[in-house]
Amino acid sequence: MYRRYEELDSLRGLAALCVVFFHMYQVIPTNKLLKIIFEYSPLRLLISGGESVILFFVLSGFVLALPYFNNKQSNYFSFIIKRICRIYFPYLFALIVVIWCRELFYVGNLKALSGWINSFWSAPVNIQVIQTHLLMLGTFLSNLNPVLWSLVHEMRISIIFPFLMLLLVRLDWKKGLGLSALVSVMAIVLYSVFKPGDTGTEYVATLNYTAMFTIGALLAKYKSNIANKFNLLTNKIKILGLAFGLFAYLFAHPSFAIKAFIYKDISPFYRTIIDSWFVTVGAVILIIFAINSILMSRVLKNYFVNFLGKISYSLYLIHVVVILTMLQSLNGRVPISIILPGSLIVSFVIAVLMHFLIEKPSISLGKMLTSHRSKKVTFNEISR
């Protein structure tokens, strides 16, 4: 049996918490002082929401690839059923909750708050909106819950991931990196030809994020080699390496320089492509340290940090729904300085309940539905 990396659960949990802080930060109209404090200082780590999603994709690639490199992989249909139960069913529950909350609590524009938070729930919920969210097809921008876009990519990539692994188990790291780069280049070419829009759920965006899954899978394949080299590094080199990783993860966003000095109207899609690769470098370094650094591993194995990791998916799905519900219910009557911390507490409570009542039963259902397909298959059998 391959090792379960509890450190990575915790890392995912901390990243989910950063997403929560990021969305709380976005509720308040920003000024120059806030930007300097939270966007141009080390405190940016607390609101690294977009970066956290890239980290999620790399982590998913790493974790999903482990069975393939230990000959413990399920057959294709078992894999898909488990992924549907693990990702889609909690997603479906969160979708039902957000529609219910929107219909019950939405009262209109939230005065003195940001345009970002007021962009949600303003459009009516109709059959087309529900159908789009259920099927995850095409290009759409969720007016209900801004985190849902990333789950669209998770599900799409899950469908092709076993086929991707057919290649990765045969490729060395150089060819694997080449494949990742090729996938992103294909995304750029297809976007340039078809110009599908910039909502974040385009198929070409899925293609680019597949590269992040691929990087995670390669990290899983060469984890032992990396661990051996990591252990040979001096403490000074490790500190410098971690500092570089954090810089790449948080601040090395070259698209801003490109926009400022070369193009005035560079597409958000191209900016995402460029920046996601630098964030991915940082994410890889963070994962390497998480599973190889004794000190970081000890911190991440703390019970409370690890529990945060266990409820991270539910927290990720539900926190904006809680924030919106509480703002729509209490804004103007209760200070925002109380509403936002209160929404954090409520989000944690609901995430715990959702983890035990929705997530865990969904995972158990996936195992039950695939128990009769317990036979492990080789890659030769899959490719026949």
Side-chain angles (χ1 to χ4, degrees):
M1 185 66 179
Y2 58 92
R3 172 190 169 191
R4 179 178 180 84
Y5 291 91
E6 295 182 0
E7 301 94 334
L8 300 187
D9 291 335
S10 298
L11 193 61
R12 190 186 299 272
L14 292 173
L17 186 60
C18 290
V19 174
V20 177
F21 288 150
F22 174 63
H23 288 143
M24 292 173 63
Y25 172 75
Q26 285 191 300
V27 168
I28 306 169
T30 57
N31 53 47
K32 290 184 178 179
L33 179 60
L34 278 177
K35 281 182 174 290
I36 292 172
I37 293 174
F38 286 103
E39 297 184 32
Y40 303 108
S41 78
L43 289 178
R44 179 178 174 82
L45 181 63
L46 295 177
I47 59 167
S48 54
E51 293 85 354
S52 293
V53 175
I54 299 299
L55 177 59
F56 292 154
F57 291 153
V58 179
L59 283 171
S60 291
F62 182 98
V63 173
L64 293 178
L66 286 175
Y68 292 87
F69 298 125
N70 291 275
N71 200 30
K72 301 290 184 180
Q73 71 278 6
S74 304
N75 64 61
Y76 179 77
F77 293 105
S78 293
F79 175 83
I80 294 299
I81 290 171
K82 287 179 180 178
R83 291 304 285 169
I84 289 173
C85 291
R86 179 69 183 95
I87 301 296
Y88 186 74
F89 285 174
Y91 164 94
L92 185 61
F93 173 80
L95 179 62
I96 294 170
V97 170
V98 71
I99 292 174
W100 180 77
C101 288
R102 190 270 174 198
E103 295 303 308
L104 194 61
F105 295 103
Y106 181 72
V107 295
N109 188 67
L110 296 164
K111 296 180 179 178
L113 298 183
S114 69
W116 176 82
I117 196 66
N118 278 302
S119 68
F120 299 104
W121 291 13
S122 56
V125 178
N126 54 37
I127 295 298
Q128 182 179 1
V129 170
I130 295 173
Q131 178 180 312
T132 302
H133 282 76
L134 288 176
L135 297 179
M136 297 182 170
L137 297 175
T139 298
F140 68 96
L141 182 64
S142 179
N143 181 257
L144 296 171
N145 188 344
V147 308
L148 299 186
W149 71 271
S150 65
L151 281 309
V152 171
H153 296 301
E154 282 271 0
M155 283 306 304
R156 289 176 181 172
I157 296 171
S158 291
I159 293 173
I160 64 171
F161 190 79
F163 301 103
L164 179 64
M165 291 307 303
L166 287 174
L167 293 173
L168 293 180
V169 295
R170 292 175 168 86
L171 299 179
D172 60 27
W173 67 271
K174 293 180 181 178
K175 292 179 181 178
L177 287 177
L179 175 63
S180 301
L182 178 62
V183 167
S184 278
V185 170
M186 287 174 59
I188 293 173
V189 171
L190 291 173
Y191 180 87
S192 301
V193 172
F194 296 104
K195 302 186 183 304
D198 293 305
T199 66
T201 55
E202 296 82 12
Y203 291 113
V204 288
T206 301
L207 193 59
N208 177 61
Y209 293 129
T210 301
M212 277 73 257
F213 274 71
T214 302
I215 296 297
L218 289 172
L219 191 57
K221 183 174 184 177
Y222 291 98
K223 64 184 186 304
S224 297
N225 305 68
I226 293 172
N228 292 334
K229 294 183 181 299
F230 181 90
N231 291 330
L232 295 175
L233 299 176
T234 64
N235 288 335
K236 182 179 180 179
I237 296 298
K238 289 178 182 178
I239 292 172
L240 290 174
L242 181 59
F244 173 78
L246 287 171
F247 178 79
Y249 185 72
L250 297 174
F251 298 109
H253 294 179
S255 72
F256 291 104
I258 293 173
K259 181 181 179 182
F261 298 108
I262 301 178
Y263 299 107
K264 293 297 182 183
D265 57 349
I266 183 172
S267 164
F269 178 79
Y270 295 136
R271 290 178 59 183
T272 298
I273 292 278
I274 296 167
D275 294 342
S276 64
W277 274 99
F278 282 81
V279 175
T280 297
V281 170
V284 166
I285 292 174
L286 290 178
I287 293 171
I288 290 173
F289 271 83
I291 61 179
N292 292 293
S293 167
I294 296 174
L295 177 59
M296 189 173 291
S297 177
R298 186 181 299 126
V299 172
L300 293 174
K301 284 186 175 181
N302 174 273
Y303 173 81
F304 295 102
V305 179
N306 192 248
F307 184 73
L308 176 63
K310 293 183 186 302
I311 66 168
S312 60
Y313 185 41
S314 292
L315 181 64
Y316 181 74
L317 281 173
I318 209 67
H319 73 274
V320 176
V321 182
V322 173
I323 292 172
L324 281 164
T325 299
M326 293 186 67
L327 286 173
Q328 289 290 339
S329 304
L330 302 174
N331 189 48
R333 293 182 291 166
V334 178
I336 193 69
S337 58
I338 294 178
I339 294 176
L340 288 181
S343 66
L344 178 62
I345 295 171
V346 174
S347 294
F348 272 112
V349 173
I350 295 178
V352 172
L353 294 173
M354 188 173 164
H355 172 71
F356 287 105
L357 300 178
I358 304 297
E359 271 194 85
K360 293 192 75 173
S362 296
I363 294 171
S364 297
L365 176 62
K367 292 178 179 178
M368 182 187 72
L369 292 176
T370 58
S371 60
H372 67 287
R373 295 177 178 271
S374 58
K375 176 191 173 186
K376 306 300 180 183
V377 294
T378 66
F379 282 101
N380 289 331
E381 290 174 318
I382 293 175
S383 57
R384 281 174 186 167

